[in-house]
């Protein structure tokens, strides 16, 4: 309702009631100072007041919120209806105490209370009428909505005709009033809302509707008696409208009461089905609220007991598949563990045939013969998932023959939903774990990437190019460089056994060991003894890794210390791939034949015996290729053929004259062509160092 229209109607309605009061005082003789008012003023004031009240409620928001039917009835009874009854009580008391009550001239108080009651009666009828409209139109069809509109228009016409002075003849007026009454009877048959009441709400609705009927009857009786009082005005001008409205209000309440009452016998069944749906919905929503598997099983047990109204129950779960601890593998309801153990012992070895889950007389079941059981009926239901059996649900009743196929059907739905919820919970956990793993791998990959040197050492004496590719998110290959005093460069390459976060962790450890051991020793006797030679480094690294490397893990590595001032290098191989070398003067490509065990294989001081240093002088144009086994063991062809050392050697023979970066790309292009169509199964690292003939720039 537009606020502007409401702001007009409210004062107009209040003013019309005030005029009605003054008119009543004038006609009753209680206000001789008002003089004699004409009859039409009473008719107009009363008509405008009734019209204003009904329009205000007509355009007010619906009194029915959702499905709060009982609350609507309660507000009707405790609203103006109850207040009006109090006013009528005061009026009757005033008439009893009035010395000339009913025969003499009416008092000011008497007439005022009468007019107040008239106003409250109209308000009561308006509220009741539009409350019934909300109930009639609850989930109604468009046709019913149109019928209600016609009913309202016809009722309003009876009021307006009186206001404008149109009085149809009796032969026309009576059939019209009777027709409208029958129309109201027809509309009173729409009591669809009753079906949505629970058993308890039905009883409350019956009481509230009885109270409303009583209020209406009291009102009607009051005005029926007072209308013959010559000292008072009766609502005669609006008889037809008020009579029809009061009739509809009373008849709809009566019909609602009867329909509700006669629905009581089937209320239990409806209530049971409603509860079954609600419990099933509750189970369905468990996963959305993030509850645990233990809570799912507990709710399943409670819902099953309440649905079939079992006297006792227990739930046996398989901890191996049910996602539950062994301590919570059995849940009881109104049953002691000893009672359950006794029944389990009798059930053992005497299972029901496949598909039969109901025993309606335990005394006659195999395993229970000759005994007198406290519980006579049993329903046992397996909880089967797609891949596993999660457990068995047992429900018990005291009386025999109390479980039926319908109980079994609804419980099968419950257990299926519970198993689905458990499996969904497991999927969610797995998904979260995978997500966490992916996040950890992402972090590990970032850490590993930060450990790979981004800036390669540059000098006029050599040219270096590198390549590193991990087979998975996180790899186990590593390499690093470190400038040493005396124009020396330490180069290390390694491969950690295994992959993933653990390999990346060991890779970081190895990098830390490399930087720690290659620090200057202040106690060294000469300049060159300040840093360990490769074999000594490997021995010390092996000792350090003994305390942090798993027994099943090891690291292969090679360490090169290039002395480009002397034109030579020394290296040691700890189980790593052979070093490929091109000798420019001899124009020969070969592999260094050196021995050495991987780090972590022997974890004592004897390890040093298995590591040897190898010295070599290089010439300008020499090329050294260092790599991990992911290069030479890369698979191609039919998936079983390996790239191999020979093929790598051939590629260097074909490209040794190029720059280091070009040699690396040439080898990688050949490698990628060889492995085309096959996934990389191991980390690949390739370093190419080409020694130059250029002399270092003179110092300034």
């Amino acid at each position: 309702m537009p606020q502007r229209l409401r702001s007009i109607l409210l004062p107009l309605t209040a003013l019309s009631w005030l005029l009605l009061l003054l008119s009543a005082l004038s006609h009753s003789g209680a206000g001789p100072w008002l003089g004699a008012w004409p009859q039409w003023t009473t008719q107009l004031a009363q008509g405008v007041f009734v019209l204003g009240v009904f329009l205000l409620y007509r355009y007010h928001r619906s009194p029915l919120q959702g499905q709060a039917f009982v609350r609507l009835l309660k507000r009707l009874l405790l609203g103006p209806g109850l207040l009006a009854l109090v006013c009528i009580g005061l009026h009757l008391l005033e008439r009893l105490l009035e010395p000339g009550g009913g025969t003499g001239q009416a008092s000011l108080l008497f007439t005022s209370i009468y007019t107040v009651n008239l106003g409250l009666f109209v308000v009561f009828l308006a509220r009741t009428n539009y409350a019934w409209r909300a109930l009639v139109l609850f989930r109604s069809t468009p046709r019913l909505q149109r019928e209600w509109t016609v009913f309202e228009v016809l009722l309003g016409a009876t009021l307006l005709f009186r206001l404008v002075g149109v009085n149809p003849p009796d032969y026309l007026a009576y059939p019209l009033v009777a027709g409208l009454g029958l129309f109201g009877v027809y509309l009173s048959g729409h009591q669809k809302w009753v079906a949505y009441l629970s058993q308890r709400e039905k009883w409350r609705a019956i009481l509230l509707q009885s109270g409303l009927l009583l209020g209406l009857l009291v009102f009607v009786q009051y005005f029926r008696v007072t209308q013959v009082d010559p000292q008072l005005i009766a609502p005669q001008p609006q008889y037809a409208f008020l009579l029809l409205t009061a009739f509809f209000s009373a008849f709809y309440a009566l019909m609602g009461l009867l329909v509700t009452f006669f629905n009581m016998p089937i209320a239990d069944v409806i209530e049971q089905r409603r509860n079954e749906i609600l419990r099933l919905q509750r189970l369905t929503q468990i996963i959305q609220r993030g509850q645990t598997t233990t809570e799912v099983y507990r709710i399943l047990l409670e819902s099953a007991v309440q649905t079939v109204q079992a006297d006792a129950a227990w739930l046996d779960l398989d901890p191996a598949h049910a996602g539950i601890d062994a301590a919570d593998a059995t849940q009881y309801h109104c049953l002691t563990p000893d009672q359950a153990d006794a029944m389990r012992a009798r059930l053992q070895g005497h299972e029901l045939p496949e598909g039969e889950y109901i025993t309606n007389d335990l005394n006659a079941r195999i395993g229970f013969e000759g005994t007198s059981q406290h519980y006579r009926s049993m329903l046992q239901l397996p909880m089967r998932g797609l891949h596993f059996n999660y457990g068995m649900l047992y429900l018990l009743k005291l009386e025999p023959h109390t479980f039926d196929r319908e109980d079994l059907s609804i419980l099968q739905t419950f257990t299926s939903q519970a198993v689905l919820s458990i499996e969904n919970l497991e999927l969610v956990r797995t998904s979260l774990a995978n997500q966490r793993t992916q996040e950890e791998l992402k972090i590990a990959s970032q850490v590993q990437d930060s450990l790979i040197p981004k800036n390669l050492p540059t000098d006029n004496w050599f040219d270096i190019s590198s390549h590193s590719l991990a087979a998975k998110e996180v790899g186990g290959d590593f390499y690093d460089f470190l400038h040493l005093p005396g124009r020396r460069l330490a180069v290390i390459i390694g491969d950690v056994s295994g992959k993933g976060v653990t390999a990346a962790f060991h890779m970081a450890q190895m990098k830390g060991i490399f930087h720690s051991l290659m620090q200057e020793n202040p106690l060294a006797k000469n300049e060159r003894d300040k840093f360990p030679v490769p074999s000594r480094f490997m021995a010390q690294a092996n000792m350090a890794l003994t305390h942090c490397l798993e027994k099943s893990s090891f690291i292969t590595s090679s360490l090169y210390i290039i002395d480009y001032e002397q034109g030579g290098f020394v290296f040691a191989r700890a189980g790593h791939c052979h070093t490929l070398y091109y000798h420019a003067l001899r124009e020969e490509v070969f592999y260094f034949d050196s021995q050495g065990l991987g780090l972590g294989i022997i974890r004592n001081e004897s390890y040093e015996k298995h590591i040897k240093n190898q010295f070599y002088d290089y010439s300008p144009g020499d090329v050294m290729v260092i790599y991990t086994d992911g290069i030479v063991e890369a698979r191609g062809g039919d998936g079983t053929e390996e790239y191999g050392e020979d093929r790598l050697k051939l590629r260097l023979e074909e490209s040794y004259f190029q720059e280091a970066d070009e040699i690396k790309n040439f080898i990688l292009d050949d490698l990628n062509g060889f492995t085309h169509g096959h996934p990389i199964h191991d980390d690949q690292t390739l370093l190419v160092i080409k020694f130059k003939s250029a002399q270092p720039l003179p110092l300034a």
Side-chain angles (χ1 to χ4, degrees):
M1 179 182 189
Q3 189 63 29
R4 188 174 179 182
L5 180 58
R6 185 180 179 85
S7 63
I8 296 173
L9 276 178
L10 273 174
L12 180 63
T13 305
L15 180 62
S16 63
W17 181 85
L18 182 61
L19 291 175
L20 181 64
L21 174 62
L22 295 175
S23 177
L25 292 173
S26 171
H27 284 280
S28 65
W33 38 274
L34 290 171
W37 286 30
Q39 184 65 34
W40 63 268
T41 57
T42 304
Q43 182 174 336
L44 179 63
Q46 188 169 321
V48 171
F49 173 72
V50 173
L51 181 63
V53 170
F54 270 76
L55 284 178
L56 281 171
Y57 281 101
R58 172 67 176 80
Y59 292 106
H60 198 268
R61 64 184 176 88
S62 174
L64 178 62
Q65 302 298 317
Q67 297 184 6
F69 308 111
V70 175
R71 187 193 304 170
L72 183 146
L73 296 175
K74 186 177 179 182
R75 290 175 62 186
L76 273 179
L77 185 63
L78 300 180
L82 189 59
L83 184 60
L85 287 176
V86 173
C87 290
I88 290 173
L90 291 174
H91 179 83
L92 294 176
L93 180 62
E94 193 276 340
R95 290 293 301 267
L96 181 64
L97 299 177
E98 184 76 25
T103 55
Q105 193 173 26
S107 68
L108 179 65
L109 178 61
F110 177 83
T111 306
S112 298
I113 290 178
Y114 175 85
T115 310
V116 168
N117 282 341
L118 178 61
L120 289 173
F121 181 53
V122 172
V123 171
F124 177 73
L125 286 181
R127 287 193 61 163
T128 307
N129 187 68
Y130 288 108
W132 290 167
R133 180 189 68 170
L135 296 179
V136 168
L137 300 184
F138 175 70
R139 298 194 175 183
S140 62
T141 61
R143 177 184 174 183
L144 182 58
Q145 294 175 9
R146 290 193 297 270
E147 290 172 349
W148 175 268
T149 302
V150 171
F151 180 65
E152 271 190 307
V153 170
L154 293 176
L155 273 180
T158 61
L159 178 63
L160 291 177
F161 284 165
R162 291 290 185 178
L163 282 177
V164 299
V166 176
N167 297 313
D170 291 345
Y171 68 86
L172 187 59
Y174 286 120
L176 284 176
V177 171
L180 272 175
L182 291 176
F183 203 165
V185 170
Y186 162 72
L187 292 175
S188 298
H190 293 85
Q191 307 278 349
K192 191 182 295 183
W193 57 279
V194 175
Y196 292 85
L197 297 177
S198 63
Q199 179 82 345
R200 183 179 179 183
E201 288 175 332
K202 281 187 170 67
W203 282 113
R204 295 179 64 188
I206 289 173
L207 292 175
L208 291 171
Q209 289 176 107
S210 300
L212 285 171
L213 275 175
L214 178 62
L216 272 170
L217 290 176
V218 171
F219 264 123
V220 171
Q221 178 62 18
Y222 169 74
F223 288 111
R224 192 184 67 81
V225 172
T226 56
Q227 71 174 338
V228 298
D229 194 328
Q231 299 171 359
L232 297 174
I233 61 167
Q236 186 174 5
Q238 284 77 44
Y239 260 3
F241 177 80
L242 295 177
L243 179 64
L244 286 170
T245 307
F247 171 75
F248 172 69
S249 298
F251 196 82
Y252 191 85
L254 178 63
M255 285 294 292
L257 190 150
L258 294 175
V259 171
T260 306
F261 184 78
F262 286 110
N263 265 281
M264 294 297 287
I266 62 172
D268 287 341
V269 178
I270 296 175
E271 185 75 8
Q272 184 179 355
R273 291 292 172 261
R274 180 171 175 267
N275 289 334
E276 289 171 359
I277 294 172
L278 290 176
R279 292 183 190 113
L280 189 59
Q281 184 183 23
R282 186 183 176 197
L283 276 172
T284 305
Q285 292 174 342
I286 287 173
I287 185 67
Q288 300 173 1
R289 296 198 296 267
Q291 289 179 288
T292 64
T293 51
T294 304
E295 290 173 315
V296 173
Y297 291 123
R298 179 180 57 76
I299 292 173
L300 169 65
L301 185 62
E302 291 176 0
S303 301
V305 168
Q306 293 170 5
T307 300
V308 300
Q309 299 179 347
D311 298 308
W314 86 90
L315 180 62
D316 284 336
L317 298 169
D318 181 3
H321 300 121
I324 198 167
D325 295 334
D328 299 324
T330 304
Q331 298 186 14
Y332 301 97
H333 175 82
C334 296
L335 194 74
T336 64
D338 291 340
Q339 288 177 300
D341 288 342
M343 300 195 77
R344 283 193 196 97
R346 293 183 180 278
L347 289 169
Q348 197 167 17
H350 302 286
E351 296 293 334
L352 287 175
E354 184 69 22
E356 295 291 334
Y357 307 123
I358 296 176
T359 302
N360 267 326
D361 189 357
L362 271 178
N363 290 345
R365 178 170 171 170
I366 299 176
F368 293 83
E369 311 97 322
T371 61
S372 178
Q373 294 296 315
H374 181 62
Y375 299 102
R376 297 291 300 278
S377 299
M378 169 182 280
L379 189 154
Q380 57 188 100
L381 194 60
M383 297 177 61
R384 295 195 179 104
L386 186 61
H387 303 291
F388 309 109
N389 286 333
Y390 290 83
M392 184 76 78
L393 172 66
Y394 298 89
L395 296 159
L396 301 167
K397 284 189 178 183
L398 295 172
E399 300 299 326
H401 304 285
T402 45
F403 286 119
D404 53 32
R405 289 289 171 186
E406 193 174 357
D407 294 333
L408 181 62
S409 177
I410 188 65
L411 289 179
Q412 284 175 331
T413 304
F414 277 26
T415 53
S416 299
Q417 189 61 44
V419 168
L420 182 62
S421 296
I422 295 298
E423 291 179 340
N424 284 341
L425 276 171
E426 191 59 34
L427 286 176
V428 170
R429 289 196 191 96
T430 303
S431 176
L432 291 175
N434 289 337
Q435 186 177 354
R436 282 195 294 272
T437 302
Q438 289 299 321
E439 290 294 328
E440 291 172 356
L441 287 174
K442 184 178 178 182
I443 294 172
S445 178
Q446 292 172 348
V447 171
Q448 186 182 41
D449 186 62
S450 68
L451 297 177
I452 300 295
K454 300 296 184 298
N455 299 316
L456 300 178
T458 58
D459 200 283
N460 290 341
W461 285 93
F462 53 82
D463 182 20
I464 298 179
S465 183
S466 67
H467 164 79
S468 182
L469 178 64
K472 295 184 177 179
E473 290 84 353
V474 182
D477 286 1
F478 69 93
Y479 64 92
D480 204 355
F481 307 93
L482 188 63
H483 282 288
L484 303 178
R487 293 186 182 278
R488 289 188 297 170
L489 177 69
V491 181
I492 189 170
I493 188 170
D495 184 1
V496 179
S497 64
K499 296 179 179 62
V501 178
T502 303
F505 177 71
H506 294 321
M507 168 190 167
Q509 286 179 319
M510 192 61 195
K511 185 181 179 73
I513 290 172
F514 171 63
H515 281 267
S516 299
L517 296 181
M518 296 307 292
Q519 294 299 313
E520 182 176 352
N521 180 9
L523 302 178
K525 296 179 180 179
N526 54 60
E527 185 69 23
R528 291 196 170 275
D529 290 339
K530 288 183 178 179
F531 300 91
V533 294
S535 61
R536 184 60 185 161
F537 167 84
M538 292 299 181
Q540 292 176 340
N542 184 71
M543 187 60 66
L545 289 171
T546 300
H547 303 288
C548 55
L549 201 63
E550 296 90 351
K551 291 184 178 179
S552 59
S553 299
F554 63 92
I555 298 175
T556 66
S557 180
S558 289
L559 174 63
Y560 306 82
I561 298 179
I562 302 172
D563 188 337
Y564 47 88
E565 187 177 38
Q566 300 296 324
F569 61 86
V570 56
F571 72 95
R573 187 174 75 91
H576 199 69
C577 300
H578 294 290
T579 302
L580 180 62
Y581 198 81
Y582 168 72
H583 194 284
L585 295 178
R586 301 203 306 263
E587 296 185 348
E588 179 186 4
V589 177
F590 61 90
Y591 283 98
F592 280 103
D593 185 13
S594 56
Q595 303 298 322
L597 285 177
L599 302 171
I601 296 176
I602 297 177
R603 304 191 177 195
N604 52 47
E605 295 180 352
S606 65
Y607 174 80
E608 195 167 0
K609 299 177 182 177
H610 301 277
I611 293 293
K612 303 295 182 184
N613 287 320
Q614 191 162 351
F615 298 88
Y616 199 81
D617 294 331
Y618 66 82
S619 303
D622 285 6
V623 178
M624 183 162 56
V625 177
I626 308 169
Y627 54 91
T628 57
D629 56 3
I631 297 289
V632 293
E633 294 178 1
R635 295 173 185 172
D638 60 356
T640 59
E641 184 182 356
E642 293 186 348
Y643 189 75
E645 292 183 340
D646 293 341
R647 184 160 182 156
L648 180 62
K649 181 182 175 185
L650 288 174
R651 298 293 83 80
L652 181 58
E653 289 174 350
E654 295 168 356
S655 61
Y656 66 86
F657 53 88
Q658 302 183 68
E659 297 298 324
D661 203 45
E662 294 171 335
I663 296 173
K664 179 198 73 177
N665 291 335
F666 182 75
I667 295 173
L668 290 178
D669 289 344
D670 184 64
L671 176 67
N672 293 332
F674 176 78
T675 60
H676 180 70
H678 297 278
I680 177 174
H681 69 279
D682 198 1
D683 308 328
Q684 296 177 351
T685 299
L686 179 66
L687 296 180
V688 178
I689 303 174
K690 185 167 187 177
F691 299 102
K692 293 183 177 180
S693 58
Q695 297 297 316
L697 294 174
L699 296 175

